[in-house]
Structure formats: C-alpha cells, structure tokens
Amino acid sequence: MSSSPVAGSAATGPPSGPATGSGGRHATDRRRGPGRPARRIRPVSSGARPGPRRRRARYWPQYLAISPYYLIFSVFMFFPVIYTIYLAFQKWDGIGEMHYVGFQQFRFLWDDPVFWLSIRNTLVIWVLATAPMLFMALILAVLVNSTKRFTSFYRVALFIPSITSLVAIAIFFGAIFSNNFGLINAVLTGLHLGAVPWLSNEWTIKLVIAALMTWQWTGYNAIIYLAGLQAIPSELYEAARMDGAGPMRIFFSITIPLLRPIILFTVVVSTVTGLQSFTEPQVLFGSDASTNPNSGGPGQAGLTTLLYFYHTAFDTNDFGYGAAIVWAFFLVILLIVLINWGLVQRKERRP
C-alpha cells in the first residue's frame, strides 16, 4: 500500500528552512519555535464545572445517613438544655400552669443552706477521690509501661472497672462497707479493732463514695497516661541514664513535663465527672427512700448537688427551682475547671 504525500513528509526529518503556508504553521506550533509560547490545550470535559449548590447536593446521601444522630441529639439533649434556661425563671410543678418569677429562684438559692451543704459535700468528695485517683493512675501507668510481659492483660484489667455498671459497683460497695454485715467490719472485728460506722458517719460516708469513684476511674486514667508514656521517645531516657540521672530524677524531669498536656486533660475530665456524682449516693443510701428519698444518707452527708437537684425536681415536683440549681452548679463546675486549667498552664509556662 502506498503512503500519501502528507504521511511521507511527516515521516521525514524537519525541513531545513522556515516553514511557510498552512503546513509550516502547524509544524511550528508542534515544535514551539524560539520566542513563541506553548500552545495551551484545553482538556476535554463532559460538561461545565458544577456550582456550589450542585456540589452540596452531591453529599445529601451522607448527610441523610448521619441525620438520625443529630435529630435524637436535638430532641433529647439540646432542646431540654435550652428549655431548662427558660424553666429556671418559672415556677412549675410539672402539671399545672407556669408562673414567671424572674430571679426569685436564684435569690432563694443564694440563701438555701441545703444547696450550699450539697456544694460542700460535692467538693469534699471530689477532692478525696480525684487527688489519689490521678496519683495512683500515674504510678500504675509507669509500672505497666516498664513491664515487658502480660501488658495486654494489665490493660484489660485496668479498663474493666470503668465499663462496669455503676449501679452494680455501688451495690457491691454498699455490701462490703455495711455497718452490720460488711466485709470490712468483719475483718476489723476479727483483728480486734472494732467496727466502723462507714455508712452513718459524716466523714466515712464521703470516704466510701470517694473510694467507689477512685476504684472505678483509676484504671481509665492509667490507660490514658500509659498512651502518653509510650509516645515519649526512649532516647530521652537513655540519654538521662547516661548522664547519671536516677529513676526519681527521670520521672520528675522528663516524664512529668512531657505528660503535662495529658495531665491537664485528665484533671479537666476528672473534675467534670467527679463533680457530677449522682448514682453513687443515690444507690448507697436508697434504703430510706420511703421516708426521705434521695437525701444523701444520715445527716445528708452524701447529698451531692446533682442528687439535691433530682430530689427537688422529681421528689418535690419543683422543676423551676431544680433548673435553677443545675444551672448554678454548671457555673460552679465551669469556674473550677477554669481554675484547674490556669494552674496547670501556669506550671507548664514556668521555666
């Protein structure tokens, strides 16, 4: 088969002289002669670029897939929280007509001795639980991080208390700390030390609640500290040992400074969860529910602020005052969290 003149000329080398005419123009465009810009070739597309509205419509299936969560959150969490702000300025028993009272609920709250007693009980229990809990969690994390065997078993063992039912834990602690038939008092009696009124004395009640919270959340915080310890480069420890640093010097000069962001996180989380203690005293002292429900035990020594809110709203049907209690307590929690944040941040900025 003979080739066409065009094919033959394309197969040969470039012409020796400048190309003229239409054929020369096409050849010059292909070879990008000196001084001439490259020819811009527009990519072939099936259509115009979609606009912002069309791009948003493309993700409607994904939005529809996650919409049930946001609908449930809006109906059962966001709306009730916003509604309690309105309810704090009303007097309402849950059935009858609402009556606007303005700031009278908060004025009564300021002079309410039971509210301040619940604040004091909550703060004492929080201090008794949080300080030893975070200290023991850090020590356990260091010990587990230094072991080479059974690390998975230790992690599971530390995490199990945090996923155990809080009601079951409270019933168990109520049984072992019982005044008459508790395991702790049985051991003390066997050692001729005398029984301790764990669930009837003002301070022992707080100690039992704090011990329950410490047992539940120490392992959880230890797992968080363990993750932070494993992120610290081992070269830092090796260099410190080569310089003659001992275990205590390494712990306070390397481990603690590098764990400060994680310590700040655990302090904030422990503050928020520790101040919201509710189920512990409610289950421990539920035996007198028929006479004085949700009172926090003898002398109201275990009456926390959330338990007082629950008692006011659902036992006495004063929902307006209950809303005022919970919002005032929210401001207290926010203030304590900001103070803790500032203290930890100040230590971190200190050279």
Side-chain angles (χ1 to χ4, degrees), residues 140 143-158 223 226 230:
L140 288 174
L143 293 176
V144 173
N145 189 50
S146 62
T147 59
K148 302 298 182 183
R149 302 176 60 184
F150 306 111
T151 56
S152 299
F153 169 77
Y154 293 141
R155 293 176 184 177
V156 173
L158 289 173
I223 294 296
L226 180 61
Q230 293 178 346

Short mmCIF file of all heavy atoms in Angstrom, two decimals, residues 140 143-158 223 226 230:
data_model
loop_
_atom_site.label_atom_id
_atom_site.label_comp_id
_atom_site.label_asym_id
_atom_site.label_seq_id
_atom_site.Cartn_x
_atom_site.Cartn_y
_atom_site.Cartn_z
N LEU A 140 0.47 3.50 88.33
CA LEU A 140 0.14 2.26 87.63
C LEU A 140 0.57 2.31 86.17
O LEU A 140 1.06 1.31 85.63
CB LEU A 140 -1.37 1.99 87.73
CG LEU A 140 -1.91 1.55 89.08
CD1 LEU A 140 -3.42 1.47 89.06
CD2 LEU A 140 -1.32 0.19 89.47
N LEU A 143 4.30 1.73 86.00
CA LEU A 143 4.63 0.33 86.25
C LEU A 143 4.30 -0.56 85.05
O LEU A 143 5.09 -1.43 84.67
CB LEU A 143 3.89 -0.17 87.50
CG LEU A 143 4.31 0.46 88.83
CD1 LEU A 143 3.44 -0.05 89.97
CD2 LEU A 143 5.78 0.19 89.12
N VAL A 144 3.13 -0.35 84.46
CA VAL A 144 2.75 -1.15 83.30
C VAL A 144 3.66 -0.85 82.11
O VAL A 144 4.03 -1.74 81.34
CB VAL A 144 1.27 -0.91 82.94
CG1 VAL A 144 0.89 -1.60 81.63
CG2 VAL A 144 0.37 -1.38 84.06
N ASN A 145 4.04 0.42 81.97
CA ASN A 145 4.91 0.79 80.86
C ASN A 145 6.30 0.17 80.99
O ASN A 145 6.99 -0.04 79.98
CB ASN A 145 5.03 2.32 80.80
CG ASN A 145 5.75 2.79 79.55
OD1 ASN A 145 5.42 2.39 78.43
ND2 ASN A 145 6.73 3.65 79.73
N SER A 146 6.72 -0.13 82.20
CA SER A 146 8.05 -0.71 82.42
C SER A 146 8.06 -2.23 82.28
O SER A 146 9.14 -2.83 82.26
CB SER A 146 8.58 -0.33 83.79
OG SER A 146 7.74 -0.84 84.82
N THR A 147 6.89 -2.85 82.24
CA THR A 147 6.83 -4.30 82.11
C THR A 147 6.93 -4.72 80.65
O THR A 147 6.58 -3.96 79.75
CB THR A 147 5.52 -4.85 82.71
OG1 THR A 147 4.41 -4.25 82.03
CG2 THR A 147 5.44 -4.54 84.18
N LYS A 148 7.38 -5.92 80.42
CA LYS A 148 7.52 -6.46 79.07
C LYS A 148 6.56 -7.62 78.80
O LYS A 148 6.33 -7.96 77.64
CB LYS A 148 8.96 -6.96 78.86
CG LYS A 148 10.01 -5.88 79.07
CD LYS A 148 9.85 -4.72 78.10
CE LYS A 148 10.93 -3.67 78.30
NZ LYS A 148 10.74 -2.51 77.39
N ARG A 149 5.99 -8.20 79.83
CA ARG A 149 5.10 -9.34 79.66
C ARG A 149 3.72 -9.02 80.24
O ARG A 149 3.58 -8.23 81.18
CB ARG A 149 5.68 -10.58 80.36
CG ARG A 149 7.07 -10.97 79.87
CD ARG A 149 7.62 -12.14 80.66
NE ARG A 149 6.77 -13.32 80.54
CZ ARG A 149 6.97 -14.46 81.21
NH1 ARG A 149 7.98 -14.56 82.06
NH2 ARG A 149 6.16 -15.48 81.03
N PHE A 150 2.71 -9.66 79.67
CA PHE A 150 1.32 -9.55 80.12
C PHE A 150 0.80 -8.10 80.06
O PHE A 150 -0.07 -7.73 80.86
CB PHE A 150 1.15 -10.10 81.54
CG PHE A 150 1.64 -11.50 81.72
CD1 PHE A 150 2.77 -11.74 82.49
CD2 PHE A 150 1.00 -12.56 81.12
CE1 PHE A 150 3.25 -13.03 82.66
CE2 PHE A 150 1.47 -13.86 81.29
CZ PHE A 150 2.60 -14.09 82.05
N THR A 151 1.31 -7.29 79.17
CA THR A 151 0.85 -5.90 79.09
C THR A 151 -0.61 -5.82 78.65
O THR A 151 -1.36 -4.97 79.15
CB THR A 151 1.73 -5.11 78.12
OG1 THR A 151 1.75 -5.78 76.83
CG2 THR A 151 3.17 -5.02 78.63
N SER A 152 -1.03 -6.68 77.73
CA SER A 152 -2.44 -6.68 77.30
C SER A 152 -3.36 -7.05 78.45
O SER A 152 -4.45 -6.47 78.61
CB SER A 152 -2.63 -7.64 76.13
OG SER A 152 -1.83 -7.26 75.03
N PHE A 153 -2.95 -8.01 79.27
CA PHE A 153 -3.77 -8.40 80.43
C PHE A 153 -3.90 -7.24 81.41
O PHE A 153 -5.00 -6.98 81.92
CB PHE A 153 -3.14 -9.61 81.13
CG PHE A 153 -3.75 -9.92 82.45
CD1 PHE A 153 -4.97 -10.57 82.52
CD2 PHE A 153 -3.11 -9.56 83.64
CE1 PHE A 153 -5.55 -10.86 83.76
CE2 PHE A 153 -3.68 -9.85 84.86
CZ PHE A 153 -4.90 -10.50 84.93
N TYR A 154 -2.82 -6.53 81.65
CA TYR A 154 -2.88 -5.40 82.58
C TYR A 154 -3.79 -4.30 82.05
O TYR A 154 -4.54 -3.67 82.82
CB TYR A 154 -1.47 -4.85 82.80
CG TYR A 154 -0.55 -5.81 83.53
CD1 TYR A 154 0.79 -5.93 83.17
CD2 TYR A 154 -1.02 -6.59 84.58
CE1 TYR A 154 1.64 -6.82 83.84
CE2 TYR A 154 -0.19 -7.48 85.24
CZ TYR A 154 1.14 -7.59 84.86
OH TYR A 154 1.96 -8.46 85.51
N ARG A 155 -3.74 -4.05 80.76
CA ARG A 155 -4.60 -3.00 80.19
C ARG A 155 -6.07 -3.36 80.32
O ARG A 155 -6.90 -2.51 80.68
CB ARG A 155 -4.24 -2.79 78.72
CG ARG A 155 -2.86 -2.19 78.51
CD ARG A 155 -2.54 -2.11 77.04
NE ARG A 155 -1.17 -1.63 76.81
CZ ARG A 155 -0.62 -1.53 75.61
NH1 ARG A 155 -1.31 -1.86 74.53
NH2 ARG A 155 0.62 -1.08 75.50
N VAL A 156 -6.40 -4.60 80.03
CA VAL A 156 -7.80 -5.03 80.16
C VAL A 156 -8.24 -4.96 81.62
O VAL A 156 -9.35 -4.49 81.93
CB VAL A 156 -7.96 -6.44 79.60
CG1 VAL A 156 -9.37 -6.98 79.88
CG2 VAL A 156 -7.70 -6.46 78.09
N ALA A 157 -7.37 -5.40 82.53
CA ALA A 157 -7.71 -5.38 83.96
C ALA A 157 -7.92 -3.96 84.46
O ALA A 157 -8.79 -3.71 85.30
CB ALA A 157 -6.62 -6.08 84.77
N LEU A 158 -7.13 -3.02 83.96
CA LEU A 158 -7.29 -1.64 84.39
C LEU A 158 -8.55 -1.00 83.81
O LEU A 158 -9.16 -0.12 84.45
CB LEU A 158 -6.06 -0.83 83.96
CG LEU A 158 -4.75 -1.10 84.71
CD1 LEU A 158 -3.60 -0.35 84.06
CD2 LEU A 158 -4.87 -0.71 86.17
N ILE A 223 -4.82 4.13 81.73
CA ILE A 223 -4.71 3.80 80.29
C ILE A 223 -4.34 5.05 79.49
O ILE A 223 -3.52 5.00 78.56
CB ILE A 223 -6.03 3.20 79.79
CG1 ILE A 223 -6.28 1.84 80.47
CG2 ILE A 223 -6.00 3.03 78.28
CD1 ILE A 223 -5.25 0.79 80.14
N LEU A 226 -0.77 5.79 80.17
CA LEU A 226 0.08 4.79 79.50
C LEU A 226 0.26 5.13 78.03
O LEU A 226 1.37 4.98 77.49
CB LEU A 226 -0.56 3.41 79.66
CG LEU A 226 0.20 2.23 79.02
CD1 LEU A 226 1.58 2.10 79.64
CD2 LEU A 226 -0.60 0.94 79.18
N GLN A 230 4.00 5.93 76.30
CA GLN A 230 4.52 5.22 75.14
C GLN A 230 4.86 6.16 73.99
O GLN A 230 5.55 5.75 73.06
CB GLN A 230 3.52 4.17 74.69
CG GLN A 230 3.35 3.04 75.69
CD GLN A 230 2.31 2.03 75.26
OE1 GLN A 230 1.53 2.28 74.35
NE2 GLN A 230 2.30 0.87 75.92
#
